[in-house]
């Protein structure tokens, strides 16, 4: 997604949320290379379910070769013709690509001033882009900080209906170890976000 660079004072908790959304976006946008695997291996979690998932991911990253990560990524998301998983809202919600969920997302992006980055051919309703969009809305990367009510609206419309299902499928994948741990981290985070947004007034 194209971004506007501007500094905002962000609450540390929101900064941590944005960082995790961005982290998941990077992990799901392409195979993890050596530099990324090395950085992940240094991460430390706590004793919460989310922190435990992060610690597990760090341990797995420390013994995962870039070639293994690439092989897993290709089997999951590319494959011969198609991968094991299709990480798009349209597919999860309708069974087909480029359907109404994508059209709804594009209309919402236009209202929020979010534009697809030049050169990107991937449909905007892929999970990596949606994670990036949430991170950017929290920090103001797309022009202004989105209030939590606006974050909730976007999450409820475009992420909550299918992301936990997707991350659960990724976690359960039989062809992946590293990305299975990514799935566990993503599922835990999506469940926390869904619960937190669910507590806000409607």
């Amino acid at each position: 997604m194209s971004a506007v660079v501007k500094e905002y004072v962000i609450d540390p908790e929101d900064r941590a949320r944005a960082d995790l959304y961005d982290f998941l976006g990077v992990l799901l946008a392409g195979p993890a290379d050596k530099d990324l695997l090395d950085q992940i291996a240094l991460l430390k979690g706590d004793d919460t379910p989310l922190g435990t998932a992060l610690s597990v991911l760090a341990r797995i990253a420390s013994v995962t070769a870039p070639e293994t990560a690439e092989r897993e990524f290709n089997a999951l998301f590319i494959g011969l013709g198609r991968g094991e998983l299709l990480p798009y809202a349209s597919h999860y919600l309708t069974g087909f690509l480029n359907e109404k969920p994508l059209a709804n997302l594009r209309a919402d992006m236009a209202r929020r001033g979010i534009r697809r980055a030049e050169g990107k051919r991937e449909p905007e309703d892929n999970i990596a882009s949606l994670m990036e969009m949430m991170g950017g809305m929290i920090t103001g990367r797309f022009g202004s900080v989105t209030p939590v009510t606006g974050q909730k609206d976007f999450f409820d419309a475009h992420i909550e209906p299918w992301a936990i299902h997707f991350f659960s499928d990724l976690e359960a994948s039989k062809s992946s170890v590293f990305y299975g741990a990514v799935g566990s981290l993503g599922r835990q985070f999506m469940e926390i976000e869904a619960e937190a947004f669910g507590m806000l007034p409607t």
Side-chain angles (χ1 to χ4, degrees):
M1 301 300 109
S2 57
V4 176
V5 179
K6 189 173 180 179
E7 289 296 322
Y8 292 97
V9 177
I10 308 296
D11 180 84
E13 184 176 332
D14 285 335
R15 176 69 66 182
R17 290 175 55 233
D19 287 346
L20 189 44
Y21 273 115
D22 287 336
F23 180 51
L24 288 168
V26 168
L27 286 169
L28 294 165
D33 60 17
K34 184 179 185 305
D35 287 344
L36 181 55
L37 289 167
D38 288 346
Q39 291 170 17
I40 296 169
L42 297 174
L43 297 175
K44 307 287 185 189
D46 54 28
D47 58 359
T48 64
L50 183 66
T52 300
L54 184 61
S55 296
V56 170
L57 178 61
R59 286 199 299 273
I60 293 173
S62 71
V63 296
T64 299
E67 297 79 11
T68 301
E70 182 173 16
R71 187 163 55 248
E72 286 190 12
F73 187 91
N74 289 341
L76 284 164
F77 304 123
I78 299 174
L80 294 173
R82 59 162 281 184
E84 181 181 337
L85 300 177
L86 289 174
Y88 305 96
S90 288
H91 171 73
Y92 267 82
L93 297 175
T94 72
F96 300 95
L97 296 175
N98 303 316
E99 290 292 326
K100 189 173 182 181
L102 176 58
N104 292 341
L105 173 63
R106 285 174 171 166
D108 201 355
M109 288 171 63
R111 285 193 297 271
R112 296 170 182 271
I114 303 174
R115 299 181 302 279
R116 182 163 68 172
E118 290 185 18
K120 274 204 173 183
R121 298 182 179 179
E122 193 94 353
E124 296 91 325
D125 65 339
N126 73 83
I127 191 68
S129 291
L130 287 167
M131 296 295 99
E132 182 186 349
M133 286 183 226
M134 278 297 294
M137 286 189 289
I138 295 167
T139 60
R141 198 162 61 234
F142 302 118
S144 62
V145 171
T146 301
V148 68
T149 52
Q151 297 171 32
K152 171 181 165 58
D153 290 344
F154 188 90
F155 184 89
D156 287 352
H158 308 296
I159 297 175
E160 192 276 336
W162 73 284
I164 292 175
H165 186 184
F166 164 77
F167 280 116
S168 296
D169 287 346
L170 182 57
E171 184 179 16
S173 168
K174 291 181 170 56
S175 64
S176 173
V177 177
F178 174 74
Y179 283 97
V182 173
S184 179
L185 180 68
R187 177 183 59 79
Q188 295 280 358
F189 184 44
M190 292 300 99
E191 289 175 351
I192 290 169
E193 287 285 276
E195 182 177 359
F197 284 132
M199 295 172 66
L200 295 176
T202 56

